[in-house]
Amino acid sequence: MNRIAGRAGIALILALVLIAGTAFFVADYVMYAEDWVIFPGSPHLYYGTNLGCGVVTDRDGALLMDLRGGRQYSPNVDLRMSTLHWLGDRSGSIYAPALAQYASSLAGFDLVNGVYSYGLTSGQAKLTLISQAQIAALNALGDRKGTVAVYNYKTGEILCAVTTPTYDPDNVPNIEGDTTGAYEGAYVNRFIQSAYIPGSIFKIVTLAAALETIPDIESQIFYCEGTFSVDGEEITCDGVHKHQTLQEAFQNSCNCAFAQIAMQLGGETLQAYADQFGITQP
């Protein structure tokens, strides 16, 4: 009797271990299955470092890339160039953050069916980008190296994000053999992989500090003759704005006026407000 009871106890323990193991696996599957499936090492979903399935459109449904049975970009050359740093190139030299972000949608993955549409229609990802804005920003940048971005501050949606230099993925130039420097940094997405000095947006920090700490700041008049000297360093402005109120100086984004305001504030006050705005944080 004792032997039967002992064996029953062992069987019960094994059953509990099995149940616990199964519960652990199911919980792990629910939490991490998507990460397992879309892991970049998967030969079923990736070509090189970039995803190889699905359809990508802009916010209005305009085709940006069709990955079903190959990598087909938009038929519009300017749109191909302006979205290259989001969709990547065929060789995998340029990282494709949009494909990485929406990998599960593009693979057509769900917990019940897995990659249920692999090799057929795959999934679809609709980006928040506006095609017309992408093209306009690309044309505005011209031969310059840099980035133009527009986002909806209420929703966080990125409406436009273009980085240059870029190129047509359907007509790849000889980047390695180029000696003009035209393609220097072409593999870098300057919007998400580079850091920039704040520039004129720092005037918002300066203005906020001035409004809160300089009592008569709104009644002051600032003079701009195109240049302003600070400790032997010459600050230049895009125009000659002459006499301006604070509001006019901000409207004109006048470097000379804001240099004068910064001198009134002092370094410690500006540092404190920069910290408040989070500019000094990554």
Side-chain angles (χ1 to χ4, degrees):
M1 194 62 149
N2 289 337
R3 183 178 297 177
I4 294 173
R7 289 175 178 175
I10 293 172
L12 179 60
I13 292 171
L14 291 174
L16 291 174
V17 169
L18 178 61
I19 292 170
T22 303
F24 177 79
F25 173 79
V26 170
D28 224 32
Y29 175 77
V30 170
M31 289 189 294
Y32 302 113
E34 181 177 318
D35 295 334
W36 298 341
V37 170
I38 65 174
F39 182 72
S42 170
H44 300 293
L45 301 180
Y46 285 82
Y47 298 119
T49 58
N50 291 328
L51 196 70
C53 59
V55 175
V56 185
T57 70
D58 76 349
R59 68 184 300 115
D60 298 317
L63 179 69
L64 300 180
M65 175 178 285
D66 188 341
L67 292 159
R68 297 169 298 181
R71 179 176 281 255
Q72 301 298 320
Y73 294 87
S74 165
N76 185 304
V77 60
D78 286 342
L79 192 52
R80 292 198 298 268
M81 293 177 66
S82 66
T83 56
L84 177 64
H85 291 89
W86 292 106
L87 304 175
D89 61 345
R90 288 190 171 87
S91 66
S93 298
I94 295 179
Y95 174 58
L99 303 190
Q101 177 67 30
Y102 298 105
S104 60
S105 297
L106 291 168
F109 171 79
D110 68 36
L111 289 173
V112 176
N113 299 295
V115 186
Y116 57 88
S117 55
Y118 168 68
L120 299 173
T121 59
S122 296
Q124 179 172 324
K126 180 178 285 190
L127 307 186
T128 58
L129 298 177
I130 301 172
S131 292
Q132 296 92 329
Q134 290 289 113
I135 294 171
L138 177 70
N139 292 332
L141 279 165
D143 295 331
R144 301 180 185 89
K145 294 179 173 68
T147 182
V148 172
V150 180
Y151 85 107
N152 184 332
Y153 74 93
K154 293 182 178 179
T155 64
E157 292 178 325
I158 298 175
L159 307 178
C160 170
V162 176
T163 182
T164 56
T166 184
Y167 58 86
D168 182 0
D170 282 347
N171 187 22
V172 182
N174 182 11
I175 296 176
E176 303 304 325
D178 177 66
T179 58
T180 66
Y183 295 103
E184 183 180 349
Y187 296 140
V188 177
N189 185 329
R190 294 171 188 263
F191 177 65
I192 62 173
Q193 295 175 317
S194 296
Y196 294 90
I197 296 170
S200 285
I201 64 168
F202 196 82
K203 290 186 175 77
I204 296 172
V205 179
T206 307
L207 179 63
L211 287 170
E212 292 189 357
T213 62
I214 303 176
D216 66 339
I217 190 66
E218 293 184 80
S219 63
Q220 291 187 31
I221 299 296
F222 304 93
Y223 186 75
C224 168
E225 57 183 13
T227 61
F228 183 74
S229 181
V230 178
D231 295 333
E233 294 289 333
E234 190 173 82
I235 294 170
T236 60
C237 207
D238 288 338
V240 178
H241 301 114
K242 301 295 183 180
H243 294 92
Q244 317 163 83
T245 64
L246 178 66
Q247 183 175 344
E248 290 169 337
F250 186 63
Q251 179 180 322
N252 294 329
S253 191
C254 179
N255 293 337
C256 296
F258 272 82
Q260 296 167 46
I261 295 169
M263 291 178 69
Q264 291 186 54
L265 289 168
E268 289 187 8
T269 300
L270 279 172
Q271 179 68 59
Y273 275 82
D275 291 342
Q276 262 188 284
F277 272 78
I279 288 178
T280 55
Q281 299 300 316

